[in-house]
Amino acid sequence: MRVALAAALLLSLAGCSLAGTAAAPGKKRLVVGYQSKTINTVTAGTLLRELGYLERRLGDGYSVEWQDHDTGAPITAKMVAGKIDIGSMGDYPLLINASRAKDTELISITGYNLRGGLNMVVVPPEAKIATLAGLKGAKVSASVGSAGHGTLVQALERAGTAGVEVVNHQPPVGAAQLEAGGVRAYAQFVAWPGLLVFQDKARLLYDGSALGVPTFHGVVARRPYAKENPQVVDAFLKAQLDATRYLHANPLRAAELVAKVTGLPPEVVYLYNGPGGIATFDATLKPQLRAAHQHDIQYLKRISPDFAGVDLARFVNDSYLRTAYGPAYDADTASTANPAKITGTDPACGVPVTDPRTASELWPVTGPIQPAATPTCLLRQIAAAGTGQVRAAYVPDTATGTRWFADKSVWLQDKDAFLPFTTREGADAHRAAHPSAKPITYAEAVRKAGALTSAGALTRAGAQEKGALR
C-alpha cells in the first residue's frame, strides 16, 4: 500500500494561520508550533501554553507566538521555511521532519505508549467486521504520514490485509467522513479514536497496542535557532518539565483545563492523560523509543517512495534536555514506570490499589474519582452507584493494558472474574486460549459483579484477573 506523501507535506503556508508575525517592540520572538487536540503533546503545547510556564521562564524580553495545527505536517512545512522555531509532533511526522527539514533535531519526548496504544482504527458502531481483514478493498481515512497512518500500515502488513485504499484527511474531516459513510474505517492518533467511541460515533476495531511497537510524540527544534538561542531551548525544556510535573500532581485539573481549551470532553482527555492513562508523560529520550523510530523508517519508505530516510544519530539530541533535567536524567531515562499511577483504597473490595495492570477508576456524576483494584471491583462500585450515576469508568485491557471506557469494552466472564478487552478480536483471542471464558454484556457484568458478596469470591476473582494478564 502506497499513497503520496507530498500532498500532506507541501501545504501552502498561505493557507496556514500566521497570527502576529512580528514580535512586540523590544522583544525577541519565539514561534512554537503545537497541536492542541493531540493531547499526548499537551506538556509542550496546550497545557504548557495555558499554565504560562514558558513565558515566566523566558521573562519579559521575549514574545511567544503559539501556532495551533491539526497534524504535524504544517508544522514541518513552516520549520522548513524558518517560520516555526520549536514544534511538537508524533513519531512518523518527526521522521518526516528529519527528512525534510534537514536542520532540525529531536530534543525531548512529550508522552509515549510502549505498546502503541496511542494510535487506533475505528469503524462505525454498527459495522459487522471484527478484524482488519474485513477492510480488504475498503477506503480508510488517515492523515498521511501521521502516527496513526504508520500504525495502520504496520497493522495491515502483520494481518496480511491488502487492497486497502488510504484517503488522506485531516482528523476532523476524516471523522465526518466516517460518520457520513464516505469511508469504512478511520485510523488516527490520540485523542480522535477515543473521542468518537465516547460519542457513540464509532467502535474500536484495532487497538494499536496489539502491535507491541512503541509510539510517542516529541519536541523538535531548528538546529540553527537552538545553537543561537540555547537559553531559550533551556527555558522551553524546563517549562515542559514544569508542565509534566503539574500533570502528574493534578491529573484531573490538567484534564479539565485541556478540555476547556480544546473543546474535547474531559472524560476523553482523562482517558489518555489521567493516572494509568494510555499516555505516559516523560520527557526523557528512552532507548526503546529510539529503537522504535529506527524500526518505523522502513514503513515510512513504503508509505512514500520519495521519502529519503534520515540519520537518526544526527537527528536525536538529548544534550539540551540533560542540562535542563539535571542529575536524575540517566536514571529516569532507564525507567519505564508510569509516574502517574492509580493509588488509594478500593471502596468496594476494601483493598489497596497496588497493581497498575488491573487498576481501574470510577468517575461518578457527583463526588471524587474513586480507585478500583481490579475491573471486577470497579463493576461492583458501578453496581452500588447505579449506571446512571457514572460519568465515566476506566479499565485496562486484560491483554494489552490499554486503558479504555468500561461501557465500551468487550467483556468476558471467567468464573468469578470479569475481564475487559478493547476489541472483539482481543476478546476472541483470549477465549481461544481460555475456553472457560464466556462473552457477557456490560450491563450483565455489572449486575453479576455486584452480586459477588463473599470475600472468597472476590479473592478468587482478583487472582483470576491477575492470572489472565500477559
Side-chain angles (χ1 to χ4, degrees):
M1 175 185 63
R2 287 188 173 183
V3 292
L5 189 59
L9 294 173
L10 300 179
L11 295 176
S12 170
L13 292 178
C16 300
S17 174
L18 259 173
T21 56
K27 293 189 176 185
K28 296 180 179 179
R29 183 168 65 112
L30 167 65
V31 183
V32 179
Y34 74 113
Q35 303 168 61
S36 63
K37 286 186 170 65
T38 306
I39 55 176
N40 193 41
T41 66
V42 294
T43 53
T46 307
L47 184 62
L48 177 59
R49 175 180 180 172
E50 294 306 307
L51 293 172
Y53 288 157
L54 176 57
E55 288 80 359
R56 288 202 287 274
R57 286 277 185 183
L58 287 173
D60 291 337
Y62 288 86
S63 174
V64 181
E65 179 185 328
W66 296 85
Q67 296 186 9
D68 187 10
H69 297 281
D70 285 332
T71 64
I75 297 175
T76 289
K78 289 185 179 181
M79 294 189 87
V80 170
K83 295 182 179 293
I84 285 180
D85 304 310
I86 298 175
S88 55
M89 59 192 71
D91 41 18
Y92 276 78
L94 283 168
L95 289 175
I96 295 169
N97 188 285
S99 176
R100 306 292 182 186
K102 298 294 186 182
D103 269 338
T104 59
E105 50 194 359
L106 176 62
I107 59 173
S108 71
I109 302 300
T110 56
Y112 68 89
N113 183 286
L114 283 181
R115 292 188 62 103
L118 295 170
N119 308 312
M120 297 174 168
V121 181
V122 299
V123 294
E126 68 279 3
K128 302 300 182 183
I129 59 175
T131 69
L132 290 175
L135 296 179
K136 185 175 181 179
K139 291 182 178 180
V140 178
S141 172
S143 299
V144 172
S146 71
H149 185 204
T151 291
L152 174 67
V153 171
Q154 292 193 55
L156 289 173
E157 179 183 86
R158 184 175 295 185
T161 302
V164 173
E165 179 185 349
V166 174
V167 184
N168 185 24
H169 289 137
Q170 292 293 295
V173 176
Q177 282 292 302
L178 181 74
E179 191 173 4
V183 294
R184 193 180 297 177
Y186 176 82
Q188 278 295 354
F189 47 82
V190 53
W192 293 97
L195 172 64
L196 294 182
V197 171
F198 178 75
Q199 294 174 331
D200 291 323
K201 294 179 179 178
R203 170 177 61 81
L204 186 59
L205 175 70
Y206 185 81
D207 175 0
S209 291
L211 269 181
V213 177
T215 186
F216 60 94
H217 290 70
V219 177
V220 64
R222 290 194 298 112
R223 186 175 284 107
Y225 182 88
K227 285 185 177 180
E228 293 172 11
N229 302 276
Q231 75 285 358
V232 175
V233 176
D234 185 69
F236 185 94
L237 291 173
K238 286 178 177 175
Q240 181 192 342
L241 295 172
D242 292 339
T244 303
R245 284 188 287 267
Y246 180 92
L247 186 148
H248 290 159
N250 308 281
L252 180 56
R253 274 186 283 172
E256 290 175 332
L257 178 57
V258 170
K260 181 180 179 181
V261 173
T262 62
L264 291 167
E267 298 89 343
V268 174
V269 179
Y270 195 75
L271 168 75
Y272 292 94
N273 294 10
I278 300 177
T280 297
F281 286 89
D282 183 334
T284 60
L285 288 148
K286 300 184 183 299
Q288 295 92 332
L289 306 184
R290 297 186 190 217
H293 232 185
Q294 187 67 52
H295 167 84
D296 292 343
I297 289 175
Q298 61 178 309
Y299 293 97
L300 198 49
K301 287 181 177 178
R302 295 177 197 176
I303 290 172
S304 173
D306 64 345
F307 175 65
V310 297
D311 181 355
L312 281 181
R314 183 173 186 270
F315 179 57
V316 179
N317 179 7
D318 67 355
S319 64
Y320 294 106
L321 184 59
R322 282 181 175 274
T323 299
Y325 204 98
Y329 181 77
D330 285 330
D332 288 353
T333 300
S335 172
T336 56
N338 192 336
K341 296 180 180 179
I342 300 172
T343 59
T345 300
D346 185 314
C349 291
V351 295
V353 180
T354 58
D355 192 340
R357 299 175 302 168
T358 59
S360 308
E361 282 190 307
L362 172 64
W363 188 345
V365 172
T366 59
I369 293 177
Q370 296 288 347
T374 67
T376 299
C377 292
L378 175 77
L379 293 174
R380 296 186 73 242
Q381 288 190 39
I382 295 171
T387 54
Q389 296 302 307
V390 176
R391 182 168 172 176
Y394 307 97
V395 289
D397 181 285
T398 302
T400 67
T402 299
R403 178 171 160 106
W404 203 235
F405 299 110
D407 62 331
K408 311 300 184 187
S409 296
V410 180
W411 288 88
L412 299 179
Q413 181 180 4
D414 195 346
K415 300 175 184 175
D416 292 323
F418 298 88
L419 309 175
F421 296 84
T422 56
T423 65
R424 296 177 188 172
E425 184 176 18
D428 289 344
H430 184 85
R431 288 181 64 202
H434 303 82
S436 58
K438 305 298 180 185
I440 187 172
T441 67
Y442 169 67
E444 189 67 3
V446 169
R447 186 188 70 78
K448 288 190 173 183
L452 291 175
T453 56
S454 72
L458 293 175
T459 299
R460 289 192 300 272
Q464 286 175 257
E465 285 169 311
K466 294 181 189 301
L469 300 170
R470 56 180 174 85

